[in-house]
Amino acid sequence: MEFDLSWVLLGLPLAFVLGWLASRLDLRQIRLENRQAPKAYFKGLNYLLNEQQDQAIDAFIEAVQNDPDTSELHFALGNLFRRRGEYERAVRVHQHLLSRADISPADRHRAQHALALDFLKAGLLDHAETALLKLEGTPFEAQARLALLANYERSRDWPQAAQMAEKLAHAGQGSFAPRLAHYLCEQAATQVAQGHLEAALQLLQSAITKAPEAARARLDLAQLLIRMGQEVMAWNALMQALDSAPSATPLIARPLAELALRCGNGAATLARLQQLYAEHASLDVLEAIVTLSGADPAGQTSARDWYARHLEKEPSLVAATRWIAGEKLEHEQFHPQVQRALDHAVQPLLRYRCAACGFEASKHFWQCPGCQTWDSYPARRVEEL
């Protein structure tokens, strides 16, 4: 049977025409899909820019339905749900991404990290810990460890927090020595509450070794030694704290003055505080000096004189109020009312303010109750900032 070349010659143009038609149909379909998906996507972006999150979510859902394989749309949708507080929907979006076998390893790690953030925002700390631990060895490892550290601090799991801080320090994420000292102090406080004073003593000594320049461990140690009846050792601990943590002098001054009077070390303590006050004037150091001067029979400087000296150094409503308290006014019958008004006016000035978030409190905190930042409270009062 002879092969007829005429059929080949006729078939080639036909095949070419059919191929061209098929390609045109495919191109039209692709163009149609591309027009539909970006239209919904850009519509969602426009709603976001106008802060219309409900409409943005609807637009992104439409875009995902048109192209369910687009992972970026899923991430955008999940992040929107999380920002709105719809954590269950955010979790479902990210879990759906993780269940897909066709996403890249990078997107899988990203989805795992997003899922962990969903759990954290929802307050599901156990689920968040499990999700974060799966990010070890991924590009999100450092972020996951920081989140785990915050998670352990939030749940007051101080041993676990210490282990995570050590890992971060070894990975070159900075120095965590002051924070590790805080963890030891927190554990010591628990031991004191349970009556295990020796165990607390060992923890505080470890904290001082971990961060010698930190003031909290020495202050807590002094309180513990007082409780154990070792007041002279407590006084020594506070005197050492003045040298190792000079920035915390205002926090140390008052308990040191009270302890010095009980130990009979008032003169030495007064001389040291006067030296520090001359270098850096402070309201708390001033009050400690006034306390010690009032207990010294040979003292030549009265409390009112010390307040007047402070006013010469810098304007202070607090010092002025203290000075007026000992002054005899021309209309003395109105003195109690005036003094009460001044005392009320200076109360906000005697607070401490977080340098990170501005949260104010009547007492000094080592960790801000507002933003959970460590060592964000300066030792000085609001009036001195």
Side-chain angles (χ1 to χ4, degrees):
M1 182 178 178
E2 294 183 0
F3 182 73
D4 191 352
L5 290 176
S6 60
W7 289 105
V8 176
L9 295 175
L10 289 173
L12 284 175
L14 181 61
F16 175 78
V17 171
L18 292 175
W20 181 83
L21 288 173
S23 66
R24 294 298 296 174
L25 290 173
D26 290 340
L27 285 173
R28 287 182 63 187
Q29 181 66 25
I30 291 171
R31 287 172 184 169
L32 180 62
E33 291 176 354
N34 287 340
R35 279 199 300 269
Q36 290 174 345
K39 184 178 179 181
Y41 180 71
F42 288 123
K43 186 165 62 173
L45 289 178
N46 184 52
Y47 284 133
L48 273 183
L49 292 174
N50 292 319
E51 298 184 358
Q52 297 173 284
Q53 293 190 7
D54 289 334
Q55 293 86 338
I57 286 176
D58 292 338
F60 282 133
I61 289 175
E62 178 187 348
V64 168
Q65 289 172 346
N66 291 333
D67 189 3
D69 295 330
T70 304
S71 58
E72 287 298 331
L73 293 177
H74 285 78
F75 284 122
L77 193 57
N79 290 338
L80 272 175
F81 284 143
R82 190 193 310 130
R83 286 176 57 185
R84 286 175 50 83
E86 299 182 47
Y87 303 121
E88 291 185 7
R89 299 179 75 180
V91 166
R92 287 201 299 270
V93 169
H94 295 130
Q95 285 179 336
H96 170 68
L97 278 172
L98 288 171
S99 67
R100 285 171 47 181
D102 60 334
I103 65 171
S104 65
D107 281 346
R108 185 171 298 279
H109 298 153
R110 184 179 169 191
Q112 184 68 43
H113 181 248
L115 180 63
L117 294 180
D118 297 338
F119 287 138
L120 281 175
K121 290 291 186 179
L124 302 173
L125 302 186
D126 292 341
H127 290 76
E129 180 181 0
T130 302
L132 289 168
L133 288 172
K134 293 180 180 179
L135 291 168
E136 285 288 325
T138 72
F140 292 93
E141 181 181 74
Q143 298 177 45
R145 286 178 174 178
L146 287 171
L148 278 168
L149 183 64
N151 194 9
Y152 292 139
E153 289 181 357
R154 188 175 171 185
S155 59
R156 303 186 68 80
D157 190 344
W158 305 117
Q160 286 278 44
Q163 290 181 16
M164 192 54 60
E166 293 281 6
K167 286 184 178 180
L168 286 164
H170 292 154
Q173 296 295 318
S175 174
F176 286 82
R179 194 176 292 197
L180 287 167
H182 281 301
Y183 298 160
L184 291 169
C185 290
E186 293 287 349
Q187 294 177 69
T190 302
Q191 294 295 329
V192 169
Q194 295 174 353
H196 305 148
L197 302 187
E198 289 297 332
L201 182 62
Q202 294 178 6
L203 288 168
L204 291 174
Q205 290 171 341
S206 298
I208 293 173
T209 303
K210 182 70 68 175
E213 72 288 351
R216 180 186 181 180
R218 297 183 190 275
L219 281 165
D220 288 358
L221 176 62
Q223 293 176 1
L224 177 59
L225 290 172
I226 292 171
R227 181 166 178 167
M228 297 173 72
Q230 302 177 17
E231 293 186 342
V232 175
M233 292 184 65
W235 179 81
N236 285 326
L238 291 179
M239 290 293 284
Q240 292 172 5
L242 292 176
D243 297 322
S244 61
S247 63
T249 297
L251 298 177
I252 302 168
R254 287 198 179 191
L256 177 61
E258 296 170 1
L259 192 56
L261 293 176
R262 288 154 57 180
C263 296
N265 294 325
T269 305
L270 178 60
R272 182 76 175 105
L273 290 178
Q274 286 176 340
Q275 176 191 355
L276 293 170
Y277 178 80
E279 296 172 358
H280 299 286
S282 164
L283 287 172
D284 286 286
V285 177
L286 174 64
E287 292 294 346
I289 290 173
V290 168
T291 300
L292 291 170
S293 299
D296 184 6
Q300 300 297 318
T301 307
S302 67
R304 292 182 63 252
D305 292 335
W306 276 111
Y307 293 130
R309 287 186 183 183
H310 189 80
L311 289 170
E312 290 175 359
K313 285 178 173 289
E314 55 188 52
S316 169
L317 182 59
V318 175
T321 301
R322 301 285 192 270
W323 182 85
I324 290 176
E327 179 70 8
K328 187 174 180 60
L329 303 181
E330 180 179 354
H331 301 283
E332 186 61 24
Q333 69 271 23
F334 299 114
H335 196 170
Q337 296 92 321
V338 172
Q339 190 63 46
R340 185 164 59 250
L342 289 172
D343 290 338
H344 179 73
V346 300
Q347 285 305 310
L349 303 178
L350 291 172
R351 295 174 181 170
Y352 296 97
R353 180 186 296 156
C354 174
C357 70
F359 186 91
E360 291 188 5
S362 59
K363 61 174 289 188
H364 183 275
F365 286 99
W366 300 107
Q367 185 184 28
C368 176
C371 63
Q372 306 301 311
T373 305
W374 291 99
D375 294 319
S376 60
Y377 274 84
R380 293 180 173 273
R381 308 283 180 164
V382 167
E383 187 186 55
E384 303 173 284
L385 298 177

